[in-house]
Amino acid sequence: MTYSVAVSGASGYAGGEILRILAAHPDVEIRTVTAHSNAGQPLIQHQPHLRSLAHLTLAETSPEVLAGHDIVFLALPHGQSGQYTDALGDTPLVIDAGADHRLESVADWDRFYGGDFHEPWVYGVPELPVAGSKQRERLVGASRIAAPGCNASTVSLSLAPGVAAGVLDPSDIVTVLAVGPSGAGKSLKTNLLAAEILGSANPYAVGGSHRHIPEIRQALAAARASGAEPGATADEGIRISFTPVLVPMSRGILATSTAPIVAGATDDEIRAAWESAYGDETFVQLLPAGQFPRTADVLGANTALMGLAIDRAANRVTVVTAVDNLVKGTAGAAVQSMNIALGLAEGTALSVNGVAP
């Protein structure tokens, strides 16, 4: 069976990456691409690297245009997907690459995003450990999928094995991320101009204000086997200091995350938690002891590479994880989740191989 696909936000970075991956997918046909201000223009004008899709023209984004497809991908700015998802009730599979359907807590949505709250969908991070299983099991047969925030999924994948195994204390998580500007989208912003970022590293959303924080707490709460105390919120006791730093690379995230070791946990038990979680995974790989990834190693790949260090002097575990924010962080996770939902081979159209140099 060939599935018909529409991709909204097709002139942007996330939409373009979804199209790049789907262009090599044997089970889909990209029939419709949409945009807002760029509607009516050739797709190739905005995505000149997508030569095989040069025949497509950007249509106006509307429920009427998106309806009638087997699969709809929404690659729109946060807060804009909900107006369309409400009108796509007859579409068999809808995948939102924005934040509108990620959060379960209305209070978190109001604090970090604002505007209308929309129901949470199945979270699109297949390898994420959840109590007793993997998120993958929840994606089988799903009709509504929320693709992850790139920073959020990177940190969650880094720490969830230790939280699930009970060897990490999630009450004192500290994570610092070097991130490329493509994660902020294509809209022109002064702080993203080349003159502002070349030769500089620039922190932003410092002091607990980044929108991906509640998403990480939510994911780690799902991983925590014991759950919260009776009467407490699911993410009670999960505290995160999260500091992203914009660096001059177009793609990539390098997340350095640390958390305290639970009393009594041995070095062997700690490393075994990650080996058990990811030993059989294709797209999340733990490097041998003493090795740590570079963002260059995952450029263009649907791969998260991580290295783990046990710092007994500080009584903390440090996990360093590299992903391509546009692939494993967004579009690759979306397509991987689509494959699972439809019962296709999970790795279809996705590669573990990066591009070098």
Side-chain angles (χ1 to χ4, degrees), residues 96-98 102 123-126 145-154 212 215 325 327-331 333-334 337:
D96 184 14
R102 292 177 191 156
Y123 195 47
V125 184
I145 297 171
C150 53
N151 295 315
S153 61
T154 305
H212 287 175
E215 189 177 335
N325 58 293
V327 189
K328 187 56 176 168
T330 306
S337 298

Side-chain angles (χ1 to χ4, degrees), residues 64-345:
E64 293 74 23
V65 171
L66 295 174
H69 297 82
D70 298 315
I71 307 165
V72 172
F73 287 87
L74 300 169
L76 302 172
H78 303 316
Q80 293 190 18
S81 299
Q83 62 183 308
Y84 301 107
T85 59
D86 291 345
L88 292 174
D90 293 332
T91 302
L93 177 58
V94 182
I95 301 173
D96 184 14
D100 292 35
H101 294 280
R102 292 177 191 156
L103 296 185
E104 299 171 358
S105 166
V106 177
D108 281 342
W109 177 264
D110 289 342
R111 177 184 172 189
F112 287 88
Y113 291 93
D116 294 336
F117 176 80
H118 296 276
E119 65 174 323
W121 289 355
V122 181
Y123 195 47
V125 184
E127 302 90 349
L128 186 70
V130 297
S133 63
K134 292 282 186 72
Q135 184 66 14
R136 174 180 291 109
E137 296 181 15
R138 304 178 182 185
L139 286 162
V140 175
S143 63
R144 297 294 182 269
I145 297 171
C150 53
N151 295 315
S153 61
T154 305
V155 175
S156 299
L157 286 168
S158 298
L159 298 176
V163 173
V167 298
L168 287 188
D169 176 2
S171 69
D172 184 20
I173 293 169
V174 178
T175 183
V176 179
L177 305 90
V179 301
S182 59
K186 257 189 184 178
S187 298
L188 293 177
K189 302 179 182 69
T190 300
N191 68 309
L192 300 181
L193 295 174
E196 301 291 332
I197 65 173
L198 292 179
S200 181
N202 308 304
Y204 65 99
V206 178
S209 61
H210 197 283
R211 290 173 166 179
H212 287 175
I213 291 173
E215 189 177 335
I216 299 168
R217 289 202 314 260
Q218 180 175 291
L220 295 182
R224 186 169 53 184
S226 59
E229 294 296 325
T233 59
D235 60 2
E236 186 78 21
I238 299 175
R239 290 189 288 273
I240 302 168
S241 172
F242 179 103
T243 306
V245 180
L246 194 66
V247 297
M249 58 183 182
S250 59
R251 292 170 176 251
I253 297 172
L254 188 72
T256 302
S257 306
T258 79
I261 299 169
V262 169
T266 68
D267 289 11
D268 288 344
E269 288 171 337
I270 292 168
R271 187 163 185 88
W274 276 261
E275 291 174 341
S276 175
Y278 300 137
D280 295 329
E281 294 291 351
T282 299
F283 297 116
V284 180
Q285 300 179 16
L286 177 67
L287 299 179
Q291 294 186 21
F292 298 91
R294 311 172 302 166
T295 56
D297 301 331
V298 295
L299 183 67
N302 189 52
T303 312
L305 297 181
M306 62 182 65
L308 183 148
I310 301 170
D311 183 352
R312 283 295 176 180
N315 197 44
R316 300 180 75 90
V317 167
T318 298
V319 181
V320 181
T321 302
V323 304
D324 183 325
N325 58 293
L326 291 178
V327 189
K328 187 56 176 168
T330 306
V335 174
Q336 185 180 347
S337 298
M338 177 199 78
N339 288 338
I340 295 169
L342 297 175
L344 305 174

